[in-house]
Amino acid sequence: VIKKILIVGGGPAGLMTALCLSQHSVEITVIEKQSWPLDKVCGEGIMPKGYDLLRKYGVSKQIQALSSRPFTGITYIDSSVAEGHFFSGPGYVVRRTELSRALYESLKGKTNVTLIPTTELVSLYQDPTSVQVTLRALSNQHIICEHRYDLIIGCDGINSKVRKLADLEGPNLRKQNRIGARVHYQIAPWTTQVEVYWKDGIECYVAPVASDCVEFVFGWNQDKIKIKQGRCPELEKKLFSYFPELESKILGHHRLSKIEARGGFARSAKFPISGRVLLIGDANVFLDPITGEGLSMAFEQAHILSQSFANIMSKEGQRSFIDQIQSLKARYINMTNLALFLCEHPLIRRIAIRFLATFPLIFQHILELNMGTRSLCDIYRSQKGISFFKTEFFEVK
Ligand SMILES: Cc1cc2nc3c(=O)[nH]c(=O)nc-3n(C[C@H](O)[C@H](O)[C@H](O)COP(=O)(O)OP(=O)(O)OC[C@H]3O[C@@H](n4cnc5c(N)ncnc54)[C@H](O)[C@@H]3O)c2cc1C
């Protein structure tokens, strides 16, 4: 029986996992290296499926309208413009600090959850009955305790220490390194969509965060603009110079956050669970920000864990948990690889975007496929299926 759980990492995956599991009769401790509310380089877009889970667990009530905004779909902008609208209601762009605060507030009333900031995991050792961990307080570098837990959940991000210590490190998912950067500007949004501007080897996502705030997120291959030790002189100027149409939009507007970059994506675990150690969020898998799925993936994994929790220590329970997580992961990796393929093949990308611009319903379906809210079979079988293909392919004027 699992009574005591340690969650390592209090990012969105860690806090959401604590929230989902707080419904069970277990004692949960969350340790986090930094202090809440946390910020992080991120596109801040939460897909409809991810936001539905925030709604289901009551977090959406805590999110303030001043730091969040619904978006209706994704627009791809290259030599042509393709607009895809979600079938399944809007997604939300939520400032990372606001998301962190809302998750933290949702956990405050839970008597079985303890949140400990500025504390890190140093080591772990598991035997068949428990896991022993060593924790360090970062305020004074003292080892604060050596504790035993029934289950450790690693939610400690891309470079997960839990993954390494539990020998769950999987193969690198990609050879070429990509980098992401973000900056916020005080501008009234000009669209209700998240826009993706594609240029060769670099893209910019424009996310409307609030009535007076727009976030610009850049993704590029390392060889396009090199970053050394997290630094690059005049990075923001270089990035915007690839997008003159956006450069003119920020002209004369106030910058709300300094540009920050982050690289070294594409990490994955062999398995999401090994004995009494389990991984959720980026610690389990992260390939690239390009599909804007990282947060929703983390929330879905936390939800699956909560639903499988009663049997998680049995062989069949673990098998079923692994199957569900691996199929989620496979969908995410396939869709992200498809988007990265378009990044790297400009001609095919232009043809694809022109196609999606001509057949917006297909774009809608691809967005739903990406979220897993529809499968190819669902689309084919759907009532509209036949007429959809007829209209799309044969009756377009
Ligand atoms: C440029 C960029 C744009 C993105 N855009 C989007 C987007 O638009 N939509 C989307 O859904 N996703 C996006 N993502 C992905 C998203 O940011 C991640 O998927 C998400 O942050 C995963 O949450 P997490 O809690 O797993 O990891 P993290 O947010 O990295 O949190 C991990 C936490 O663990 C803590 N920690 C680490 N090690 C230890 C330790 N030893 N002890 C204690 N604590 C520890 C860290 O301090 C951190 O707070 C983007 C990512 C990037 C880089």
Short mmCIF file of all heavy atoms in Angstrom, two decimals, residues 8-14 31-34 38 40-45 96 119-121 155-157 180 217 265 281-282 286 289 292-296, ligand 1:
data_model
loop_
_atom_site.label_atom_id
_atom_site.label_comp_id
_atom_site.label_asym_id
_atom_site.label_seq_id
_atom_site.Cartn_x
_atom_site.Cartn_y
_atom_site.Cartn_z
N VAL A 8 9.39 15.12 -6.83
CA VAL A 8 10.59 15.95 -7.00
C VAL A 8 10.35 16.92 -8.15
O VAL A 8 10.19 16.49 -9.29
CB VAL A 8 11.83 15.07 -7.28
CG1 VAL A 8 13.08 15.93 -7.43
CG2 VAL A 8 12.02 14.03 -6.19
N GLY A 9 10.29 18.22 -7.85
CA GLY A 9 10.03 19.24 -8.87
C GLY A 9 8.61 19.78 -8.75
O GLY A 9 7.65 19.02 -8.82
N GLY A 10 8.53 21.08 -8.57
CA GLY A 10 7.21 21.72 -8.38
C GLY A 10 6.84 22.60 -9.55
O GLY A 10 6.21 23.64 -9.40
N GLY A 11 7.22 22.18 -10.78
CA GLY A 11 6.76 22.86 -12.00
C GLY A 11 5.31 22.43 -12.25
O GLY A 11 4.68 21.81 -11.40
N PRO A 12 4.80 22.74 -13.46
CA PRO A 12 3.39 22.37 -13.75
C PRO A 12 3.14 20.87 -13.58
O PRO A 12 2.09 20.48 -13.06
CB PRO A 12 3.22 22.78 -15.21
CG PRO A 12 4.31 23.73 -15.51
CD PRO A 12 5.43 23.47 -14.57
N ALA A 13 4.10 20.02 -13.99
CA ALA A 13 3.88 18.57 -13.88
C ALA A 13 3.81 18.15 -12.41
O ALA A 13 2.92 17.38 -12.02
CB ALA A 13 5.00 17.81 -14.59
N GLY A 14 4.73 18.67 -11.60
CA GLY A 14 4.78 18.29 -10.19
C GLY A 14 3.54 18.73 -9.43
O GLY A 14 2.93 17.95 -8.69
N ILE A 31 8.95 18.69 -3.32
CA ILE A 31 10.13 19.56 -3.11
C ILE A 31 10.46 20.27 -4.42
O ILE A 31 10.29 19.71 -5.51
CB ILE A 31 11.37 18.79 -2.59
CG1 ILE A 31 11.74 17.63 -3.54
CG2 ILE A 31 11.17 18.30 -1.18
CD1 ILE A 31 13.17 17.17 -3.38
N GLU A 32 10.91 21.51 -4.30
CA GLU A 32 11.22 22.32 -5.48
C GLU A 32 12.51 23.10 -5.20
O GLU A 32 12.66 23.68 -4.13
CB GLU A 32 10.04 23.25 -5.79
CG GLU A 32 10.31 24.39 -6.76
CD GLU A 32 10.89 23.95 -8.11
OE1 GLU A 32 10.35 23.05 -8.74
OE2 GLU A 32 11.92 24.55 -8.52
N LYS A 33 13.41 23.10 -6.19
CA LYS A 33 14.69 23.80 -6.04
C LYS A 33 14.50 25.31 -5.83
O LYS A 33 15.22 25.94 -5.09
CB LYS A 33 15.48 23.63 -7.35
CG LYS A 33 16.33 22.41 -7.41
CD LYS A 33 17.47 22.66 -8.36
CE LYS A 33 17.54 21.80 -9.53
NZ LYS A 33 18.65 21.86 -10.39
N GLN A 34 13.51 25.88 -6.58
CA GLN A 34 13.31 27.32 -6.52
C GLN A 34 12.13 27.63 -5.57
O GLN A 34 11.70 26.77 -4.83
CB GLN A 34 13.01 27.86 -7.91
CG GLN A 34 14.05 27.45 -8.96
CD GLN A 34 13.54 27.74 -10.36
OE1 GLN A 34 13.35 28.88 -10.73
NE2 GLN A 34 13.31 26.70 -11.13
N LEU A 38 6.76 30.01 -9.98
CA LEU A 38 7.91 29.79 -10.85
C LEU A 38 7.69 30.36 -12.24
O LEU A 38 6.58 30.31 -12.77
CB LEU A 38 8.15 28.29 -11.01
CG LEU A 38 8.37 27.47 -9.74
CD1 LEU A 38 8.39 25.99 -10.08
CD2 LEU A 38 9.66 27.88 -9.07
N LYS A 40 9.41 30.31 -16.34
CA LYS A 40 10.26 29.46 -17.18
C LYS A 40 10.08 29.89 -18.64
O LYS A 40 9.00 30.37 -19.00
CB LYS A 40 9.83 28.00 -17.01
CG LYS A 40 10.71 27.03 -17.75
CD LYS A 40 10.13 25.62 -17.75
CE LYS A 40 10.83 24.78 -18.77
NZ LYS A 40 10.11 24.55 -19.99
N VAL A 41 11.12 29.73 -19.44
CA VAL A 41 10.99 30.01 -20.88
C VAL A 41 9.97 29.03 -21.45
O VAL A 41 10.18 27.82 -21.42
CB VAL A 41 12.35 29.82 -21.59
CG1 VAL A 41 12.20 29.99 -23.10
CG2 VAL A 41 13.38 30.76 -21.03
N CYS A 42 8.85 29.56 -21.96
CA CYS A 42 7.76 28.69 -22.42
C CYS A 42 6.83 29.49 -23.31
O CYS A 42 6.68 30.70 -23.14
CB CYS A 42 7.00 28.16 -21.21
SG CYS A 42 5.61 27.09 -21.63
N GLY A 43 6.18 28.82 -24.26
CA GLY A 43 5.23 29.51 -25.13
C GLY A 43 3.92 29.84 -24.41
O GLY A 43 3.13 30.65 -24.90
N GLU A 44 3.66 29.22 -23.28
CA GLU A 44 2.53 29.55 -22.39
C GLU A 44 1.16 29.21 -22.96
O GLU A 44 0.14 29.58 -22.41
CB GLU A 44 2.60 31.01 -21.95
CG GLU A 44 3.95 31.33 -21.28
CD GLU A 44 4.10 32.76 -20.77
OE1 GLU A 44 3.42 33.65 -21.30
OE2 GLU A 44 4.91 32.97 -19.85
N GLY A 45 1.15 28.51 -24.12
CA GLY A 45 -0.15 28.12 -24.70
C GLY A 45 -0.57 26.77 -24.14
O GLY A 45 0.21 25.82 -24.17
N ARG A 96 3.33 31.93 -17.26
CA ARG A 96 3.84 30.82 -16.47
C ARG A 96 3.75 31.10 -14.97
O ARG A 96 3.43 30.24 -14.18
CB ARG A 96 5.29 30.54 -16.85
CG ARG A 96 5.46 29.63 -18.04
CD ARG A 96 4.86 28.28 -17.84
NE ARG A 96 5.66 27.41 -17.02
CZ ARG A 96 6.18 26.25 -17.41
NH1 ARG A 96 5.96 25.81 -18.64
NH2 ARG A 96 6.88 25.51 -16.58
N THR A 119 14.57 23.32 -2.04
CA THR A 119 15.09 22.03 -1.56
C THR A 119 15.29 21.13 -2.77
O THR A 119 14.42 21.08 -3.64
CB THR A 119 14.08 21.39 -0.59
OG1 THR A 119 13.90 22.28 0.51
CG2 THR A 119 14.56 20.04 -0.08
N GLU A 120 16.42 20.43 -2.79
CA GLU A 120 16.64 19.57 -3.96
C GLU A 120 16.93 18.13 -3.57
O GLU A 120 17.38 17.84 -2.45
CB GLU A 120 17.78 20.10 -4.84
CG GLU A 120 19.14 19.96 -4.24
CD GLU A 120 20.25 20.29 -5.23
OE1 GLU A 120 19.98 20.50 -6.42
OE2 GLU A 120 21.41 20.33 -4.78
N LEU A 121 16.65 17.25 -4.53
CA LEU A 121 16.97 15.84 -4.34
C LEU A 121 18.45 15.65 -4.63
O LEU A 121 18.95 16.15 -5.64
CB LEU A 121 16.14 15.00 -5.32
CG LEU A 121 16.49 13.53 -5.33
CD1 LEU A 121 15.68 12.78 -4.29
CD2 LEU A 121 16.25 12.91 -6.69
N CYS A 155 9.32 14.79 -11.33
CA CYS A 155 8.71 15.82 -12.20
C CYS A 155 9.73 16.93 -12.34
O CYS A 155 9.41 18.12 -12.26
CB CYS A 155 7.43 16.36 -11.56
SG CYS A 155 6.15 15.12 -11.32
N ASP A 156 10.99 16.54 -12.49
CA ASP A 156 12.08 17.51 -12.40
C ASP A 156 12.63 17.93 -13.76
O ASP A 156 13.81 18.28 -13.88
CB ASP A 156 13.20 16.99 -11.47
CG ASP A 156 13.60 15.55 -11.76
OD1 ASP A 156 12.87 14.85 -12.47
OD2 ASP A 156 14.67 15.13 -11.28
N GLY A 157 11.76 17.89 -14.78
CA GLY A 157 12.09 18.54 -16.04
C GLY A 157 13.03 17.78 -16.97
O GLY A 157 13.38 16.63 -16.73
N GLY A 180 15.07 27.50 -27.92
CA GLY A 180 13.85 28.30 -27.84
C GLY A 180 14.11 29.55 -27.02
O GLY A 180 14.94 29.53 -26.11
N VAL A 217 7.67 33.84 -29.13
CA VAL A 217 8.54 32.69 -28.81
C VAL A 217 9.23 32.25 -30.09
O VAL A 217 8.57 32.07 -31.12
CB VAL A 217 7.70 31.51 -28.26
CG1 VAL A 217 8.61 30.34 -27.87
CG2 VAL A 217 6.89 31.95 -27.06
N PHE A 265 16.83 20.18 -26.01
CA PHE A 265 15.56 19.47 -25.85
C PHE A 265 15.77 17.99 -26.19
O PHE A 265 16.90 17.50 -26.17
CB PHE A 265 14.49 20.06 -26.77
CG PHE A 265 14.35 21.55 -26.68
CD1 PHE A 265 14.15 22.33 -27.82
CD2 PHE A 265 14.40 22.20 -25.46
CE1 PHE A 265 14.02 23.70 -27.75
CE2 PHE A 265 14.27 23.58 -25.38
CZ PHE A 265 14.08 24.33 -26.53
N GLY A 281 5.76 14.35 -17.00
CA GLY A 281 6.12 15.65 -17.59
C GLY A 281 7.38 15.54 -18.43
O GLY A 281 7.71 14.48 -18.98
N ASP A 282 8.13 16.66 -18.52
CA ASP A 282 9.35 16.68 -19.34
C ASP A 282 10.36 15.62 -18.88
O ASP A 282 11.18 15.16 -19.68
CB ASP A 282 10.02 18.06 -19.28
CG ASP A 282 9.30 19.09 -20.13
OD1 ASP A 282 8.23 18.76 -20.67
OD2 ASP A 282 9.80 20.23 -20.22
N PHE A 286 10.37 14.99 -23.59
CA PHE A 286 10.20 16.31 -24.22
C PHE A 286 11.00 16.29 -25.51
O PHE A 286 12.19 15.97 -25.51
CB PHE A 286 10.67 17.46 -23.32
CG PHE A 286 10.34 18.80 -23.91
CD1 PHE A 286 9.02 19.24 -23.99
CD2 PHE A 286 11.33 19.62 -24.45
CE1 PHE A 286 8.70 20.46 -24.57
CE2 PHE A 286 11.01 20.85 -25.03
CZ PHE A 286 9.69 21.26 -25.08
N PRO A 289 9.36 22.33 -28.48
CA PRO A 289 8.17 23.15 -28.16
C PRO A 289 7.23 23.35 -29.35
O PRO A 289 6.13 23.86 -29.17
CB PRO A 289 8.75 24.49 -27.73
CG PRO A 289 10.21 24.44 -27.88
CD PRO A 289 10.61 23.09 -28.39
N GLY A 292 3.48 22.91 -29.09
CA GLY A 292 2.81 23.52 -27.94
C GLY A 292 2.06 22.52 -27.08
O GLY A 292 0.99 22.81 -26.55
N GLU A 293 2.63 21.33 -26.91
CA GLU A 293 1.92 20.25 -26.23
C GLU A 293 2.49 19.90 -24.86
O GLU A 293 1.92 19.07 -24.15
CB GLU A 293 1.98 18.98 -27.10
CG GLU A 293 0.93 18.93 -28.20
CD GLU A 293 -0.45 18.58 -27.66
OE1 GLU A 293 -0.57 17.62 -26.89
OE2 GLU A 293 -1.39 19.28 -28.00
N GLY A 294 3.65 20.48 -24.49
CA GLY A 294 4.35 20.03 -23.28
C GLY A 294 3.49 20.06 -22.03
O GLY A 294 3.45 19.08 -21.27
N LEU A 295 2.79 21.17 -21.80
CA LEU A 295 1.99 21.30 -20.58
C LEU A 295 0.82 20.31 -20.59
O LEU A 295 0.56 19.63 -19.60
CB LEU A 295 1.47 22.74 -20.44
CG LEU A 295 2.55 23.79 -20.19
CD1 LEU A 295 2.01 25.20 -20.43
CD2 LEU A 295 3.09 23.67 -18.78
N SER A 296 0.13 20.25 -21.72
CA SER A 296 -1.03 19.34 -21.80
C SER A 296 -0.58 17.90 -21.61
O SER A 296 -1.27 17.11 -20.96
CB SER A 296 -1.73 19.50 -23.16
OG SER A 296 -2.15 20.83 -23.30
C1 LIG B 1 10.77 27.71 -25.76
C2 LIG B 1 9.70 26.80 -25.20
C3 LIG B 1 8.37 27.02 -25.53
C4 LIG B 1 7.38 26.19 -25.03
N1 LIG B 1 6.08 26.45 -25.34
C5 LIG B 1 5.10 25.66 -24.85
C6 LIG B 1 3.73 25.96 -25.11
O1 LIG B 1 3.38 26.96 -25.74
N2 LIG B 1 2.80 25.11 -24.60
C7 LIG B 1 3.13 24.01 -23.86
O2 LIG B 1 2.24 23.27 -23.44
N3 LIG B 1 4.42 23.72 -23.58
C8 LIG B 1 5.41 24.52 -24.05
N4 LIG B 1 6.71 24.24 -23.74
C9 LIG B 1 7.02 23.06 -22.92
C10 LIG B 1 6.73 23.30 -21.44
O3 LIG B 1 7.40 24.45 -21.00
C11 LIG B 1 7.16 22.08 -20.63
O4 LIG B 1 6.63 20.93 -21.23
C12 LIG B 1 6.68 22.18 -19.19
O5 LIG B 1 7.35 23.20 -18.50
C13 LIG B 1 6.91 20.85 -18.47
O6 LIG B 1 6.69 20.99 -17.09
P1 LIG B 1 7.54 20.14 -16.03
O7 LIG B 1 6.94 20.45 -14.70
O8 LIG B 1 7.64 18.74 -16.50
O9 LIG B 1 9.03 20.70 -16.12
P2 LIG B 1 9.59 22.11 -15.63
O10 LIG B 1 8.64 23.18 -15.95
O11 LIG B 1 10.97 22.20 -16.20
O12 LIG B 1 9.67 21.96 -14.04
C14 LIG B 1 10.60 21.13 -13.42
C15 LIG B 1 10.86 21.68 -12.01
O13 LIG B 1 11.69 20.77 -11.28
C16 LIG B 1 12.61 21.50 -10.50
N5 LIG B 1 13.77 20.63 -10.24
C17 LIG B 1 14.68 20.17 -11.13
N6 LIG B 1 15.56 19.36 -10.53
C18 LIG B 1 15.21 19.29 -9.24
C19 LIG B 1 15.76 18.61 -8.09
N7 LIG B 1 16.85 17.81 -8.17
N8 LIG B 1 15.16 18.78 -6.88
C20 LIG B 1 14.05 19.58 -6.77
N9 LIG B 1 13.49 20.23 -7.82
C21 LIG B 1 14.07 20.10 -9.03
C22 LIG B 1 12.94 22.72 -11.36
O14 LIG B 1 13.40 23.79 -10.57
C23 LIG B 1 11.59 23.01 -12.04
O15 LIG B 1 10.83 23.96 -11.34
C24 LIG B 1 7.73 25.08 -24.21
C25 LIG B 1 9.07 24.84 -23.88
C26 LIG B 1 10.06 25.69 -24.36
C27 LIG B 1 11.48 25.44 -23.98
#
